[in-house]
Amino acid sequence: MKDIIVIVGPTGVGKTKLSIELAKKLDAEIINGDSVAIYRGCDIGSAKPLEKERDNIRHHLIDIRDVWEDYSVFDYQRDVRKLIDDITNRGKRIIIVGGTGLYIKAALYDYKFTENSKANSYDSYTNQELYDKILSYNVDLPIHINNRQRLVRLLNKLENGEEISNNKDILLYPVKVIGLTTNRYHLYERINNRVDMMIQNGLIEEVMNLKKYYNNSRILNSAIGYKEFSEYFKNNKELDLESIIYNIKQDSRHFAKRQYTFFKHQFDVVWYDVNFENFNETIDEVYNEIN
């Protein structure tokens, strides 16, 4: 079996474009690694590649659930492993691309879950809120409040009410992980511009079409680009678009920092500084490394 190519990095660095160009060169199929792109209707806020952008490359695990349905890390793990077998048996290469590190790691490493386990990234929680919520379960907490990854992992275990036994550092497949990066100033500028473009492309209209589902949708109340509208809909408040846009940008920047931390500590990543002026140069550089 040839290496599975995994493309990671923070939001807005060109992961989707790189994955499509590499798929053409490698005769590969792409598996989505973004927890929001799984849902139908979450198009603009998730920045999922639309049909016309996929350039006839087969994509998997996009638009497979409605926003009122749950889709857990267990579901993702099961579906990706089935796809790996299927795509490999058809003689194709595999590219997994996305920013949801927990999902990708659970699929490729020896994570053991009980069926119907749910994994929440708790993006809207501060470390103190995570810490306090764990303490409410009356458990000993040997984890430092600044160790966000372990806090999230422990809270998920507690909320699932189960013991999760993991050999989480054991890879099950041959994998090559490619990380895209850029300097912080440039990244934050791209994130801010990207949010502005989402607004121009109709994010407000998209969210308004989903408004009626907020009362019973986990993803709409937790995903950046959607959760910032939640309190307005639930409390019937008039939308303060300026504040909402500001919060989306801020939440996106904070999330990018957490993505970097997760990828750097959880994967053996080869990092590439993206050439945004000549992206083909980045494509060639990565291709030469993995071919």
Side-chain angles (χ1 to χ4, degrees):
M1 179 180 181
K2 292 185 177 179
D3 287 342
I4 295 172
I5 306 303
V6 181
I7 302 173
V8 300
T11 184
V13 292
K15 298 187 298 292
T16 297
K17 184 174 182 180
L18 176 64
S19 69
I20 291 171
E21 294 304 318
L22 289 180
K24 295 177 191 175
K25 293 175 178 288
L26 297 172
D27 189 25
E29 296 183 7
I30 295 173
I31 299 175
N32 164 52
D34 181 283
S35 61
V36 188
I38 286 165
Y39 293 90
R40 288 182 281 268
C42 296
D43 300 331
I44 298 171
S46 70
K48 72 177 65 161
L50 302 179
E51 195 67 46
K52 62 182 179 181
E53 299 171 312
R54 299 177 197 174
D55 220 352
N56 295 317
I57 300 298
R58 190 170 180 183
H59 284 64
H60 301 272
L61 303 187
I62 293 177
D63 294 338
I64 62 169
R65 288 290 189 278
D66 290 310
V67 293
W68 57 85
E69 298 179 290
D70 274 338
Y71 187 82
S72 70
V73 66
F74 174 86
D75 297 323
Y76 183 81
Q77 180 190 72
R78 177 201 61 214
D79 291 347
V80 169
R81 291 180 180 178
K82 286 180 181 177
L83 283 168
I84 288 173
D85 290 342
D86 175 59
I87 296 169
T88 301
N89 288 337
R90 289 189 281 107
K92 298 276 192 176
R93 294 289 299 273
I94 299 167
I95 297 174
I96 300 177
V97 57
T100 308
L102 177 63
Y103 276 41
I104 296 171
K105 183 154 189 181
L108 299 176
Y109 287 74
D110 192 17
Y111 268 61
K112 293 183 175 66
F113 295 101
T114 300
E115 187 166 1
N116 295 322
S117 292
K118 294 179 173 60
N120 194 329
S121 61
Y122 300 105
D123 289 334
S124 61
Y125 283 64
T126 65
N127 283 23
Q128 185 65 57
E129 289 169 334
L130 289 171
Y131 196 90
D132 292 342
K133 193 167 179 65
I134 290 169
L135 290 178
S136 72
Y137 282 86
N138 296 317
V139 296
D140 291 329
L141 187 53
I143 303 171
H144 193 277
I145 193 171
N146 291 334
N147 194 331
R148 185 179 181 87
Q149 291 173 22
R150 292 189 62 197
L151 290 173
V152 168
R153 191 157 58 239
L154 177 57
L155 183 53
N156 269 300
K157 290 171 65 175
L158 292 169
E159 295 208 325
N160 281 318
E162 62 185 44
E163 187 76 22
I164 298 177
S165 174
N166 294 314
N167 293 309
K168 62 183 184 301
D169 293 320
I170 299 177
L171 264 170
L172 301 179
Y173 307 95
V175 169
K176 187 161 287 187
V177 184
I178 303 300
L180 296 184
T181 186
T182 188
N183 69 71
R184 181 174 296 184
Y185 172 81
H186 198 187
L187 175 63
Y188 288 177
E189 183 180 47
R190 287 184 64 83
I191 288 173
N192 291 339
N193 291 339
R194 190 185 202 200
V195 173
D196 290 336
M197 187 60 66
M198 287 178 175
I199 299 299
Q200 291 180 34
N201 289 340
L203 178 61
I204 307 301
E205 291 80 1
E206 177 172 280
V207 171
M208 293 304 293
N209 287 333
L210 298 168
K211 177 180 177 180
K212 60 185 175 182
Y213 303 116
Y214 267 78
N215 286 335
N216 60 358
S217 171
R218 181 189 64 81
I219 196 64
L220 293 178
N221 287 287
S222 62
I224 295 170
Y226 300 95
K227 69 184 181 71
E228 292 80 8
F229 293 83
S230 181
E231 68 168 296
Y232 295 93
F233 292 154
K234 288 186 175 180
N235 298 317
N236 293 314
K237 294 167 62 178
E238 185 177 347
L239 291 180
D240 178 1
L241 293 181
E242 185 176 340
S243 296
I244 288 173
I245 293 168
Y246 175 86
N247 289 337
I248 294 173
K249 290 178 179 179
Q250 184 179 63
D251 290 344
S252 297
R253 294 192 299 268
H254 290 169
F255 182 50
K257 290 173 65 176
R258 294 197 293 274
Q259 285 176 304
Y260 269 128
T261 301
F262 187 93
F263 297 136
K264 287 178 179 178
H265 288 89
Q266 300 296 319
F267 294 99
D268 183 13
V269 184
V270 179
W271 291 97
Y272 293 85
D273 199 352
V274 179
N275 183 341
F276 293 105
E277 300 298 320
N278 184 3
F279 195 76
N280 285 332
E281 184 177 286
T282 301
I283 294 169
D284 292 340
E285 188 179 1
V286 174
Y287 177 70
N288 291 334
E289 167 71 23
I290 65 178
N291 188 30

